[in-house]
């Protein structure tokens, strides 16, 4: 009996120690929950916070760009681009199709107004006539070079450089502009700088005297990266 009593005493002590040190049911649930979270689950508030952060990071993805078509020449497109930039719109010239050899325009820089441009045209025309040079002269009335003096458009850069040299010898300062070309459509891509899409009022102002232009909209990221817009 003595040994049985001692054995029962040690058994009770062991059970008491085990009961004090074993994890509770609540602790087991908490431990399992943490393990599941570490394996890829998250709380709803954490999911919502991450969703908001991603939305901010990808805000540019929702921005709409307008693809404008209907331009007869690159000069027309460049004139439209100038008007768009004056309204603080992002612009990008896009020539579709296969590229063609560039052309080269020789010109005198634009004057401040039409009166000064006409005087410059008369002066250079008279000097060319006196020098008996075969150089055409005309007033540029549209586009970024409006109120400038055109001295011809050439298929080869060497031809343009020859005219530049001849007219420079008469005391003028002609410049050469390379004109890109392709066998496809001429497009201008527009992007608003302060909203997710081009406002109707902005479009109406730009297209007011350009009835042949049409536009379609698409996500900017599918057309061009933001860094490509001047």
């Amino acid at each position: 009996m003595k040994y049985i009593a001692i054995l029962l005493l040690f058994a009770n002590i062991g059970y008491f120690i085990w009961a004090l040190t074993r994890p509770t049911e609540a602790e087991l649930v908490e431990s399992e929950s943490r393990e599941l979270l570490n394996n890829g689950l998250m709380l709803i508030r954490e999911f919502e916070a991450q969703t908001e952060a991603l939305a901010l990071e990808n805000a540019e993805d929702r921005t709409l760009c307008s693809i404008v078509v209907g331009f007869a020449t690159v000069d027309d497109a460049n004139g439209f681009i100038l008007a768009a930039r004056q309204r603080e719109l992002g612009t990008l010239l896009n020539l579709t199709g296969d590229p063609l050899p560039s052309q080269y325009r020789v010109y005198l820089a634009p004057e401040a107004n039409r009166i000064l441009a006409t005087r410059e045209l008369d002066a250079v025309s008279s000097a060319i006539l006196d020098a008996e040079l075969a150089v055409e002269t005309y007033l540029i009335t549209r586009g970024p070079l409006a109120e400038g003096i055109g001295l011809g458009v050439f298929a080869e850069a060497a031809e343009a450089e020859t005219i530049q040299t001849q007219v420079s010898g008469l005391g003028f300062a002609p410049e050469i502009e390379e004109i890109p070309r392709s066998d496809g459509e001429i497009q201008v891509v527009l992007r608003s700088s302060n909203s997710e899409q081009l406002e109707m009022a902005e479009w109406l102002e730009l297209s007011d005297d350009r009835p042949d232009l049409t536009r379609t909209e698409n996500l900017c990221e599918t057309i061009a990266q933001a860094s490509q817009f001047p």
Side-chain angles (χ1 to χ4, degrees):
M1 286 295 293
K2 178 181 178 180
Y3 293 108
I4 294 175
I6 293 173
L7 180 62
L8 290 175
L9 176 63
F10 279 109
N12 288 332
I13 292 173
Y15 176 80
F16 179 73
I17 293 173
W18 174 81
L20 289 177
T21 58
R22 73 181 183 87
T24 65
E25 183 177 353
E27 290 174 339
L28 288 173
V29 171
E30 182 180 356
S31 176
E32 291 175 359
S33 298
R34 289 176 179 174
E35 183 178 355
L36 289 173
L37 286 172
N38 291 335
N39 283 336
L41 298 180
M42 65 178 66
L43 298 176
I44 293 177
R45 63 176 179 271
E46 294 175 340
F47 173 77
E48 291 175 346
Q50 290 191 18
T51 300
E52 291 177 3
L54 288 173
L56 290 175
E57 292 176 3
N58 298 327
E60 184 66 27
D61 296 344
R62 297 195 304 270
T63 303
L64 293 177
C65 282
S66 293
I67 305 175
V68 184
V69 299
F71 302 100
T73 65
V74 171
D75 279 349
D76 290 340
N78 284 333
F80 180 83
I81 287 174
L82 178 62
R85 289 181 181 175
Q86 290 172 345
R87 292 169 173 79
E88 298 184 350
L89 297 174
T91 61
L92 182 69
L93 177 65
N94 182 37
L95 302 182
T96 65
D98 295 325
L100 296 174
S102 295
Q103 293 181 329
Y104 302 88
R105 187 205 321 270
V106 185
Y107 67 97
L108 298 178
E111 297 290 341
N113 54 57
R114 182 61 57 88
I115 294 176
L116 294 177
T118 301
R119 290 176 182 173
E120 183 76 352
L121 176 61
D122 291 341
V124 70
S125 297
S126 178
I128 288 173
L129 182 61
D130 292 342
E132 299 182 349
L133 297 177
V135 179
E136 64 174 326
T137 58
Y138 53 91
L139 185 65
I140 301 174
T141 60
R142 299 187 63 178
L145 297 180
E147 313 308 344
I149 309 303
L151 302 173
V153 177
F154 305 92
E156 301 293 336
E159 297 178 89
E161 291 168 357
T162 297
I163 298 299
Q164 183 184 42
T165 300
Q166 291 175 340
V167 178
S168 294
L170 302 177
F172 299 92
E175 302 177 38
I176 297 177
E177 176 195 25
E178 183 177 358
I179 304 174
R181 298 192 305 149
S182 74
D183 61 4
E185 191 174 51
I186 301 172
Q187 300 178 347
V188 173
V189 182
L190 294 179
R191 186 190 64 177
S192 178
S193 59
N194 54 16
S195 65
E196 289 186 359
Q197 66 183 89
L198 185 68
E199 300 294 338
M200 180 58 68
E202 293 175 315
W203 169 248
L204 291 176
E205 289 179 1
L206 283 172
S207 60
D208 182 50
D209 59 344
R210 301 176 174 90
D212 295 331
L213 299 184
T214 59
R215 68 166 181 156
T216 57
E217 290 186 327
N218 204 341
L219 290 176
C220 291
E221 66 170 353
T222 65
I223 303 172
Q225 298 298 321
S227 59
Q228 292 180 288
F229 286 91

